[in-house]
Amino acid sequence: WELNVHPIQGRGLLVRLADRTGTHAAEQMRVDFVANASHELRTPLATLIGFVETLEDGKAAEDPATRGRFLKIMFGEAKRMQRLVDDLMSLSRIEAEKYSLPQTPIPLAPLIEEVRGALHSGIVADKDRVIVEIAPDVPPVAGDRAQLSQLLHNIIGNALKYGRPGSPVQVSVKLARDNMVKLAVRDEGEGIPAEHIPRLTERFYRVDPGRSRSLGGTGLGLAIVKHIVERHRGRLEIRSEVGRGTLVCVLLPAATAPLPPALSSKSHT
Ligand code: ADP
């Protein structure tokens, strides 16, 4: 609550009591976000500086094996910072575009194939684990190609990361009710305890921070997914069973077919 008292000449006081709960919550979130992002960047940066200092000292740099090991760690930390900065930039770009509705008709099948290939060269390489099933009648979605690619990358990437090593990841696409296209990604992994599920799309929220970091996670993947889904006027649902696996569903509006040119020109004559 915010209390304002203004004297009004000769007529007493004007007292204003305003509910600032919403503004304060938003401000607190912004402060927490900046603090978290700085902390996430600071840790790999400190490691990098430490190794540079040790190498500068001389001895470590003279031994090729030690030098190689150090450089490998430094490269890993620099890559971690790069992923984080890339994700932060994606988040702010998606947020900046949130009022424009993406309208390009995007067929999901080739995009899934592309993402499947891209994930293969990542840390959790194994594209043969991804089994794709696309219903024959499924229409394209109304979307933003780059953002949908990122959405697929994050969801399928998580299923591979948190799925049991070697276990399959099932990706299916079909037409659901209300002209929505339903994408479902199912893994056979450790699952997520129910109390964490509502918070997974918060920035930097992780069930097991150590595990997420060791798998190369930034903690921003599902926050990015949530923003992309919102911009596309879609819905995101996460269901999970501990010890069995997780199912992530995204519903996206189908691209409505444009009027055939013959029809639309007739209506003008
Ligand atoms: P991260 O970069 O940590 O993977 P995300 O935002 O993508 O960040 O996910 C947030 C957290 O949700 C993860 O740290 C993990 O704890 C949990 N999570 C996401 N997807 C899955 C999944 N398929 N199975 C189990 N846990 C998951």
Side-chain angles (χ1 to χ4, degrees):
W1 293 97
E2 189 178 281
L3 178 69
N4 280 308
V5 183
H6 304 278
I8 302 172
Q9 248 181 6
R11 296 173 62 191
L13 293 173
L14 173 69
V15 179
R16 238 184 52 203
L17 194 58
D19 181 358
R20 294 267 181 244
T21 322
T23 336
H24 277 307
E27 178 60 14
Q28 190 57 45
M29 263 176 69
R30 201 188 59 79
V31 171
D32 288 349
F33 174 60
V34 173
N36 284 332
S38 319
H39 178 77
E40 295 284 338
L41 279 170
R42 201 174 167 182
T43 314
L45 198 54
T47 312
L48 266 177
I49 292 172
F51 278 95
V52 170
E53 278 171 356
T54 315
L55 282 174
E56 260 190 334
D57 253 7
K59 274 208 196 78
E62 283 159 22
D63 173 32
T66 313
R67 192 177 58 218
R69 198 162 49 82
F70 279 19
L71 285 173
K72 203 165 161 214
I73 298 172
M74 290 164 72
F75 184 66
E77 295 299 311
K79 280 294 211 189
R80 174 189 298 286
M81 291 173 70
Q82 187 183 42
R83 281 195 299 275
L84 188 60
V85 171
D86 284 349
D87 277 357
L88 288 169
M89 283 171 68
S90 293
L91 257 182
S92 70
R93 208 174 311 126
I94 300 161
E95 268 200 302
E97 289 171 343
K98 73 177 168 192
Y99 297 111
S100 70
L101 189 64
Q103 304 265 31
T104 316
I106 313 283
L108 288 184
L111 211 52
I112 292 174
E113 225 20 70
E114 226 177 85
V115 168
R116 201 166 156 245
L119 280 166
H120 192 54
S121 54
I123 2 164
V124 275
D126 206 348
K127 82 170 174 184
D128 296 337
R129 286 173 61 197
V130 183
I131 299 156
V132 185
E133 205 182 297
I134 314 261
D137 58 344
V138 70
V141 303
D144 176 312
R145 196 175 194 283
Q147 288 186 3
L148 290 175
S149 166
Q150 191 164 18
L151 173 143
L152 290 165
H153 196 280
N154 292 358
I155 297 177
I156 302 173
N158 277 350
L160 286 168
K161 276 195 305 193
Y162 300 108
R164 240 183 322 108
S167 67
V169 166
Q170 271 160 1
V171 180
S172 71
V173 180
K174 60 183 179 196
L175 184 61
R177 272 186 302 158
D178 302 327
N179 209 29
M180 300 288 262
V181 173
K182 181 175 181 177
L183 162 81
V185 179
R186 188 189 294 273
D187 68 62
E188 295 175 11
E190 64 221 48
I192 306 162
E195 67 271 23
H196 292 284
I197 293 181
R199 301 196 59 189
L200 295 179
T201 55
E202 287 175 21
R203 293 156 186 203
F204 298 116
Y205 190 87
R206 292 148 154 143
V207 177
D208 178 346
R211 179 153 160 66
S212 154
R213 286 197 188 93
S214 69
L215 292 167
T218 60
L220 293 172
L222 288 178
I224 292 175
V225 166
K226 178 186 159 212
H227 278 83
I228 294 176
V229 170
E230 278 173 2
R231 180 170 175 232
H232 283 75
R233 311 287 190 271
R235 282 207 316 270
L236 171 70
E237 288 163 14
I238 302 175
R239 267 175 260 157
S240 192
E241 226 181 301
V242 174
R244 305 212 45 188
T246 301
L247 171 67
V248 178
C249 288
V250 176
L251 285 145
L252 296 163
T256 38
L259 274 182
L263 256 181
S264 50
S265 61
K266 242 189 226 157
S267 62
H268 291 292
T269 53

